[in-house]
Amino acid sequence: MANQDDNLLKKIIAHAKEYGFIFPSSEIYDGLAAAYDYGQNGVELKNNLKSFWWKAMVQMNENIVGLDASIFMHPTTWKASGHVDAFNDPMVDNKDSKKRYRADVLIEDHIAKIEGKINKEVDKAAKRFGDSFDKEQYLATNGRVLGYQSEIDSINERMKNAIESDNLADLKTLIEDLGIADPVSGSKNWTDVRQFNLMFSTELGSVADGASKIYLRPETAQGIFVNFLNVQKTGRMKIPFGIAQIGKAFRNEIIARQFIFRMREFEQMEMQFFVKPGDEMQWYEHWKNTRIGWHKLLGLGEENYRFHDHLNLAHYANAACDIEFNFPMGFKELEGIHSRTDFDLKAHEEHSGKKLQFFDPQENKSYVPYVIETSIGLDRLFLAVLTAAFTEETLTDGSERTVMKIPAAIAPTKVAVLPLLKKDGLPEKAREILDELKLDFNCTYDEKDAIGKRYRRQDAVGTPYCVTVDHQTLEDNTVTIRDRDNLQQERINISELHARVSDLVSVTSLLKKI
RNA sequence: GCGGGAGUAGCUCAGCUGGUAGAGCGACAGCCUUCCAAGCUGUAGGUCGCGAGUUCGAACCUCGUCUCCCGCUCCA
């Protein structure tokens, strides 16, 4: 089964490239790992996804407004957000086994071993003393146990100091002093401890000397937080309100794989919703429901979604869940919904010295709002669409076709206009229709090859409707309109065409259901 | 980074024990066709990932190197 799913992802990747959705980055130079370019069809689909999200979030909610913050931000932003500290991992390699470990994890494992020894002592003692055994007292008094405990405490102390002072050499010395061996090779032959920062840094300022190091944002959210006051004041926003943003973010993943699922450069669609402290759980539930509802509207199949509630919460959250999608690799995170408390705004208050508060006239007092975040990976959403849309099917006549069943509202091309034959004035008539439709819809024209072949070509890129001009068109101004998914054709008057197409491909009909 | 696999036309691949590159599909031009791919004719497209070595001669053998894919290690 895993094999089959692998094949599905491979097929999707191949199809996406073959039909101009996604190309490997810099392909003529052998490509760049985990970077991809969106081709002529990909960019249309991506724009449509953005637009559907933006309309659902901003246009449909009078208390949500948009923002487009800079990717470059003041370096202190990332200190405040916790990324400079939490996004750093001290890594160490074993020279013999060539395995890489997190230095702090190695030390913690060592501590766990000592704790194991304590537990053994306790077990032994419990047997010895029987019912009269008092664990607390034993732990507090037994000499051997106390020895172990003080060992643990001193290791913890040294590790904490080393990490906090960024002293990687100390960390290595600690590993050596403890005699920690690689669990794989048993070797104690370690490299120096190195810091891996998952944020991309670059130089601001063209003169190397005067340049200062800044980061490419690892999430778009901070651009929203630092603009909280600007937007709240200039937009006269009242709590609760939200700020939405679509933009690129960058993370230096150690491995970035699985096509566009995990890239180092990716695009997020985030909305931070500011609420009164105490109301956050209610709003958390509200956005969980609203967001899953949005996904289901998109029409990729309700059975392909599920929630995954987080048990281990990040440093800033008091509740968090993922909306997972059934990708070829299995159910994986597509969107995250987090209750971020007042962590971010408070942190920015502390680092900036500015008050990031809202004056609540009802309560007659100011407070730092709590935040509910909805954050969806646009590229992952794109992959979800490809996954759900990619279909290989056998038709009733026994022939096979590959069709992208992309929901009409987000399909790259809405209508293909096709003259049945490339003669008898049919192309001219078709062009007339095309010129009319293209004012409002993304259209394409094709007169090459047999009509059946042209239908299949449109199926492959997910064009939901094909309008075919035949000889009857010249007599009574009717055309056939073909449905991509069920292959049904209907003959309608050209004058009805615009309204009909508009109805079929409109985002409006989706938005109405929100 | 380690281990494994793979790089030949746009795609899928063939190419024998070394003799100087092919097929199908696709694309393009045209013919034929009044409605669901695979009818006909023609055209374009490859320094066989890159570099070196062995050889009279390398897509093929040797070494190096790069890239991609899969697995492992990390991930707010």
Side-chain angles (χ1 to χ4, degrees):
Chain A
M1 190 175 115
N3 220 346
Q4 215 169 14
D5 290 343
D6 271 4
N7 287 337
L8 175 58
L9 182 59
K10 274 187 182 147
K11 280 182 184 173
I12 290 171
I13 294 169
H15 191 88
K17 185 187 164 193
E18 188 76 19
Y19 290 95
F21 287 91
I22 297 174
F23 307 123
S25 164
S26 324
E27 200 187 5
I28 62 167
Y29 294 110
D30 285 333
L32 180 67
Y36 291 91
D37 301 336
Y38 286 80
Q40 66 277 17
N41 289 316
V43 66
E44 297 290 347
L45 174 52
K46 198 176 174 192
N47 282 340
N48 291 341
L49 287 170
K50 285 190 206 178
S51 164
F52 179 46
W53 183 86
W54 191 263
K55 284 180 175 169
M57 300 301 273
V58 178
Q59 186 174 321
M60 299 294 289
N61 291 289
E62 57 186 271
N63 61 344
I64 297 180
V65 293
L67 179 75
D68 184 13
S70 168
I71 288 173
F72 295 150
M73 299 183 72
H74 192 283
T76 308
T77 308
W78 307 112
K79 274 228 182 330
S81 70
H83 285 86
V84 171
D85 297 323
F87 230 47
N88 268 330
D89 291 316
M91 308 290 282
V92 62
D93 293 356
N94 184 275
K95 288 180 188 167
D96 297 315
S97 71
K98 307 286 186 195
K99 287 273 176 190
R100 175 172 294 165
Y101 299 92
R102 270 178 60 175
D104 53 333
V105 170
L106 279 180
I107 296 168
E108 272 161 16
D109 287 349
H110 183 80
I111 291 173
K113 272 187 199 162
I114 301 174
E115 279 169 349
K117 286 183 188 169
I118 294 180
N119 288 334
K120 261 190 194 160
E121 291 291 332
V122 169
D123 287 349
K124 269 198 276 176
K127 265 187 199 157
R128 215 167 341 128
F129 291 104
D131 291 342
S132 64
F133 179 63
D134 181 341
K135 190 176 165 188
E136 294 305 316
Q137 192 192 347
Y138 181 78
L139 288 176
T141 53
N142 180 278
R144 212 174 292 167
V145 169
L146 288 177
Y148 286 141
Q149 192 56 51
S150 78
E151 196 182 336
I152 290 176
D153 292 344
S154 89
I155 295 171
N156 263 328
E157 181 73 18
R158 279 182 68 184
M159 179 166 78
K160 209 175 128 204
N161 285 339
I163 289 175
E164 276 175 7
S165 63
D166 234 14
N167 194 332
L168 300 177
D170 268 7
L171 220 46
K172 188 189 180 187
T173 314
L174 180 57
I175 288 173
E176 287 169 344
D177 289 352
L178 295 175
I180 294 176
D182 176 13
V184 173
S185 64
S187 145
K188 297 174 185 175
N189 190 7
W190 297 103
T191 62
D192 286 342
V193 176
R194 288 174 295 177
Q195 198 72 26
F196 279 69
N197 194 316
L198 300 183
M199 282 194 290
F200 282 93
S201 62
T202 188
E203 306 285 317
L204 187 69
S206 52
V207 184
D209 282 350
S212 59
K213 180 174 163 184
I214 60 166
Y215 295 106
L216 270 52
R217 65 182 178 200
E219 63 174 20
T220 54
Q222 299 305 326
I224 294 177
F225 295 134
V226 300
N227 279 295
F228 165 75
L229 267 194
N230 285 336
V231 174
Q232 191 269 319
K233 288 195 166 156
T234 59
R236 295 163 46 239
M237 308 305 289
K238 309 275 183 292
I239 295 275
F241 74 95
I243 303 177
Q245 176 168 223
I246 299 175
K248 293 252 175 142
F250 305 83
R251 294 179 190 179
N252 213 347
E253 307 280 356
I254 295 173
I255 52 150
R257 289 241 187 93
Q258 286 171 323
F259 197 37
I260 54 173
F261 185 81
R262 175 166 286 125
M263 295 190 289
R264 296 198 169 94
E265 173 184 343
F266 60 102
E267 199 152 6
Q268 293 183 307
M269 301 196 291
E270 289 197 319
M271 192 276 298
Q272 307 292 336
F273 198 73
F274 301 93
V275 304
K276 196 167 127 186
D279 288 354
E280 71 271 16
M281 291 318 289
Q282 174 196 329
W283 282 108
Y284 174 69
E285 290 301 324
H286 167 87
W287 283 110
K288 268 179 86 167
N289 293 331
T290 305
R291 292 306 305 151
I292 193 74
W294 181 88
H295 284 286
K296 290 180 174 172
L297 264 189
L298 194 52
L300 303 183
E302 302 200 357
E303 70 284 2
N304 286 323
Y305 295 92
R306 72 179 188 198
F307 277 112
H308 172 245
D309 290 311
H310 286 204
L311 300 177
N312 295 324
L313 298 170
H315 58 280
Y316 53 72
N318 70 354
C321 69
D322 296 336
I323 294 174
E324 296 186 333
F325 185 82
N326 189 13
F327 290 102
M329 315 82 76
F331 275 93
K332 299 266 184 174
E333 178 185 358
L334 171 62
E335 172 159 2
I337 298 156
H338 295 201
S339 174
R340 291 182 79 129
T341 69
D342 56 359
F343 175 90
D344 298 278
L345 288 180
K346 268 214 168 118
H348 286 303
E349 274 198 334
E350 282 164 23
H351 284 79
S352 68
K354 305 283 193 308
K355 261 197 168 184
L356 302 179
Q357 303 189 354
F358 174 76
F359 178 76
D360 191 329
Q362 251 83 51
E363 310 235 331
N364 198 31
K365 66 171 188 186
S366 294
Y367 54 78
V368 178
Y370 271 45
V371 172
I372 305 298
E373 165 187 277
T374 74
S375 171
I376 177 168
L378 176 54
D379 309 279
R380 290 180 177 186
L381 178 62
F382 192 104
L383 182 58
V385 172
L386 291 186
T387 303
F390 183 81
T391 313
E392 289 175 310
E393 62 185 19
T394 306
L395 303 176
T396 45
D397 64 358
S399 65
E400 291 176 358
R401 68 167 182 164
T402 301
V403 51
M404 294 299 278
K405 295 187 173 178
I406 302 171
I410 53 169
T413 304
K414 307 303 186 195
V415 183
V417 182
L418 316 168
L420 187 58
L421 298 177
K422 197 171 67 173
K423 61 179 184 186
D424 304 336
L426 298 183
E428 290 75 9
K429 188 69 183 172
R431 290 268 183 207
E432 265 178 44
I433 295 169
L434 177 78
D435 287 342
E436 190 58 37
L437 289 179
K438 76 183 181 190
L439 294 171
D440 291 300
F441 312 106
N442 221 347
C443 297
T444 188
Y445 174 84
D446 194 359
E447 58 179 25
K448 171 76 182 161
D449 296 318
I451 189 71
K453 208 168 195 173
R454 281 178 275 164
Y455 286 146
R456 297 297 163 88
R457 270 205 285 268
Q458 295 307 320
D459 290 342
V461 296
T463 306
Y465 300 102
C466 289
V467 168
T468 304
V469 174
D470 57 16
H471 289 92
Q472 192 181 332
T473 309
L474 301 179
E475 290 161 19
D476 62 7
N477 260 332
T478 61
V479 291
T480 60
I481 180 163
R482 168 196 184 261
D483 183 290
R484 175 196 66 204
D485 296 341
N486 61 25
L487 305 171
Q488 296 298 307
Q489 282 181 294
E490 190 186 345
R491 184 167 281 278
I492 63 173
N493 199 284
I494 292 175
S495 59
E496 301 168 40
L497 199 50
H498 188 285
R500 174 66 69 91
V501 170
S502 178
D503 194 42
L504 292 169
V505 306
S506 87
V507 180
T508 312
S509 56
L510 293 185
L511 293 175
K512 270 184 192 156
K513 295 185 198 149
I514 290 179

